[in-house]
Amino acid sequence: MPARILIVEDEAKIARFVELELEHEGYDTAKAADGRTGLDMALTGRFDLMLLDVMLPGLNGLEVLRRLRNESAMPVIMLTARDAVMDKVSGLDMGANDYITKPFSIEELLARIRAVLRTGAAAEKKDPVLRCGALTLDPARHTAAYGGEPITLTYKEFALLQSLMENADIVQTREALLKQVWGYDYVGETNVVDVYVRYLRQKIDSPFHAKVIHTVRGLGYVIKRGGK
Ligand code: CA
């Protein structure tokens, strides 16, 4: 299966040029000429990578990236204007996988696409599907399910669940979860962990099966490998 690449770029000539070159290389492509359309396509289509221009009508590229990262870990390469240092920094901060500065050579773009896709394939090998009872989580595909029924999670909810499942049967303190999911430099309330555990429970727990995420009073949270 060729990789599918979404090109979000409002300059028709650039978009067309990139599309032709990518198709020549054997990739499947789709195009969007504004931010909102690009975001919708990214969230509903199955793409392996998005090329995302920063300066876009409607939603700009950084806003598209921010909204995408609430729901998806799809690899993103930002297309930034020369000297737009802030765009690069903000883009990487917000979870872009790489960026390329305009004007770029097609060889450079292809090399970056190959590198990002390779990293994704390596992550797939490194991160096998996690299972705790009926709950499954696939880090490489960024999907989760309970008893085979898909669960839609935001980026942070997913990271929190992944962290709990990778450490199944081991009680995780709020501080440990905070570091793993929000990063060492997180400034804010530690109760953000409790808030997100509540979100997760609303999505996973149901009256029909046992509790999945257990509170260990005074310590933190744990998920049991057996699922109960
Ligand atoms: Ca543009």
Side-chain angles (χ1 to χ4, degrees):
M1 279 265 288
R4 298 194 66 206
I5 300 179
L6 176 61
I7 305 160
V8 186
E9 164 66 84
D10 59 316
E11 284 161 80
K13 266 162 100 178
I14 297 181
R16 181 74 184 136
F17 166 68
V18 171
E19 176 187 41
L20 287 174
E21 292 290 342
L22 293 185
E23 296 202 333
H24 182 73
E25 290 295 310
Y27 295 113
D28 278 345
T29 63
K31 282 188 303 194
D34 67 85
R36 200 166 294 277
T37 308
L39 179 64
D40 284 347
M41 287 172 76
L43 291 176
T44 53
R46 282 194 64 91
F47 293 97
D48 300 291
L49 182 108
M50 171 158 67
L51 299 177
L52 178 60
D53 187 31
V54 174
M55 299 291 282
L56 288 170
L59 297 177
N60 73 37
L62 292 174
E63 185 57 24
V64 170
L65 178 64
R66 195 183 66 76
R67 295 189 189 191
L68 180 76
R69 281 290 175 260
N70 281 330
E71 300 189 35
S72 164
M74 176 197 299
V76 172
I77 299 177
M78 305 286 296
L79 310 178
T80 64
R82 192 170 33 187
D83 302 331
V85 179
M86 272 316 291
D87 286 346
K88 290 170 200 164
V89 173
S90 315
L92 293 174
D93 257 8
M94 284 196 283
N97 300 72
D98 202 355
Y99 64 85
I100 188 164
T101 307
K102 289 178 174 179
F104 49 81
S105 73
I106 197 68
E107 288 74 21
E108 188 186 0
L109 179 65
L110 290 172
R112 280 168 193 257
I113 288 173
R114 281 192 298 269
V116 168
L117 290 175
R118 226 177 8 245
T119 310
E124 197 158 334
K125 238 180 237 166
K126 198 175 99 253
D127 294 330
V129 175
L130 301 166
R131 285 172 211 285
C132 291
L135 184 64
T136 56
L137 182 140
D138 184 341
R141 290 184 181 75
H142 209 77
T143 56
Y146 191 93
E149 286 294 310
I151 309 164
T152 307
L153 300 174
T154 66
Y155 194 64
K156 284 285 186 239
E157 289 166 357
F158 189 92
L160 178 61
L161 186 61
Q162 180 175 356
S163 195
L164 285 165
M165 290 178 77
E166 280 172 346
N167 299 291
D169 293 333
I170 304 165
V171 178
Q172 298 296 297
T173 63
R174 287 173 181 77
E175 290 71 25
L177 290 168
L178 203 58
K179 273 178 199 157
Q180 288 163 41
V181 177
W182 280 268
Y184 281 89
D185 51 357
Y186 176 79
V187 278
E189 302 292 327
T190 52
N191 77 4
V192 69
V193 174
D194 304 305
V195 172
Y196 272 80
V197 165
R198 198 154 66 231
Y199 292 159
L200 277 178
R201 282 178 168 154
Q202 282 165 5
K203 292 186 174 179
I204 300 168
D205 285 349
S206 87
F208 310 110
H209 60 75
K211 232 164 66 164
V212 174
I213 303 170
H214 300 267
T215 306
V216 182
R217 204 169 288 281
L219 281 176
Y221 297 101
V222 67
I223 285 185
K224 305 281 175 61
R225 201 170 297 281
K228 295 214 172 69

